[in-house]
Amino acid sequence: MPAQAAASRNRLWIKIAGLAVVAAIAVFAYFKVSAGNAAPDVTFTRLDGQQVALKDLRGKVVMVNFWATSCTTCIGEMPQMIETYNKFKDQGLDFVAVAMSYDPPNYVLNYTETRKLPFQVALDTQDKLAQAFGDVKLTPTTFVIGKDGNIIKRYVGEPQFSELHQLLEKALAKA
């Protein structure tokens, strides 16, 4: 019996140690995610050729939206993206719509002008921006970046706009 009791106690300690390791990993992962992942150090090239470095937008909340003129969901969400930008721009929101590398620049320019997009539109002709943001392939994909330069949220597909607006209000309110 004493040998069985010792073996049982050892198994119990092994389980407790295993749980402690799992808990430590969970706590580390929570704080790593909570701290946010730094947005990549990229420079956007706008349609007019002007360069905009993401790091120069620090202190603002920034939305980076990867889209394409051939993407029906992208085109469908664009009026709400415009409304979102117009609602929050005076509170410190900046917005960069990044056209995917396969999107013909003349299509992007035509869409931007005919729809009078009020925010910055950039071309990703060599796919470097999409790669820097985690190899974005699906459109639309939208990143919300906090004032500190960390990615707060990534939306793949059309965001739930009421949730997005709550997130923006919270991020814009932070000092």
Side-chain angles (χ1 to χ4, degrees):
M1 276 313 228
Q4 267 186 328
S8 180
R9 230 178 296 131
N10 284 342
R11 281 194 299 272
L12 177 63
W13 281 111
I14 290 170
K15 287 180 183 176
I16 290 172
L19 285 172
V21 168
V22 168
I25 291 169
V27 167
F28 174 77
Y30 172 78
F31 285 111
K32 176 111 175 98
V33 169
S34 294
N37 296 329
D41 184 15
V42 296
T43 299
F44 304 102
T45 302
R46 295 182 357 177
L47 291 176
D48 63 7
Q50 192 174 14
Q51 304 265 307
V52 178
L54 186 56
K55 66 182 176 189
D56 292 341
L57 300 177
R58 280 264 169 89
K60 291 184 167 193
V61 174
V62 180
M63 286 178 58
V64 177
N65 174 252
F66 288 89
W67 68 291
T69 58
S70 59
C71 164
T72 55
T73 305
C74 302
I75 300 307
E77 78 174 4
M78 200 56 80
Q80 287 182 282
M81 288 293 186
I82 293 168
E83 287 176 27
T84 299
Y85 173 71
N86 286 335
K87 179 177 181 175
F88 294 104
K89 68 181 179 184
D90 292 336
Q91 297 172 47
L93 176 68
D94 212 329
F95 190 113
V96 182
V98 180
M100 298 296 284
S101 61
Y102 54 81
D103 209 353
N106 57 328
Y107 287 25
V108 176
L109 181 61
N110 181 52
Y111 185 87
T112 301
E113 288 177 349
T114 59
R115 303 315 189 286
K116 296 181 178 24
L117 297 185
F119 38 73
Q120 302 182 79
V121 178
L123 297 173
D124 189 14
T125 55
Q126 296 179 358
D127 208 30
K128 289 182 179 178
L129 297 170
Q131 287 176 12
F133 275 89
D135 202 20
V136 173
K137 297 281 187 218
L138 300 173
T139 55
T141 295
T142 304
F143 294 87
V144 178
I145 302 167
K147 294 177 183 180
D148 60 0
N150 287 329
I151 296 171
I152 298 171
K153 181 108 175 151
R154 174 185 181 179
Y155 294 95
V156 177
E158 183 175 339
Q160 185 75 333
F161 279 91
S162 59
E163 177 201 321
L164 172 61
H165 288 193
Q166 287 177 345
L167 179 73
L168 290 173
E169 286 169 1
K170 185 177 172 185
L172 289 162
K174 286 187 178 182

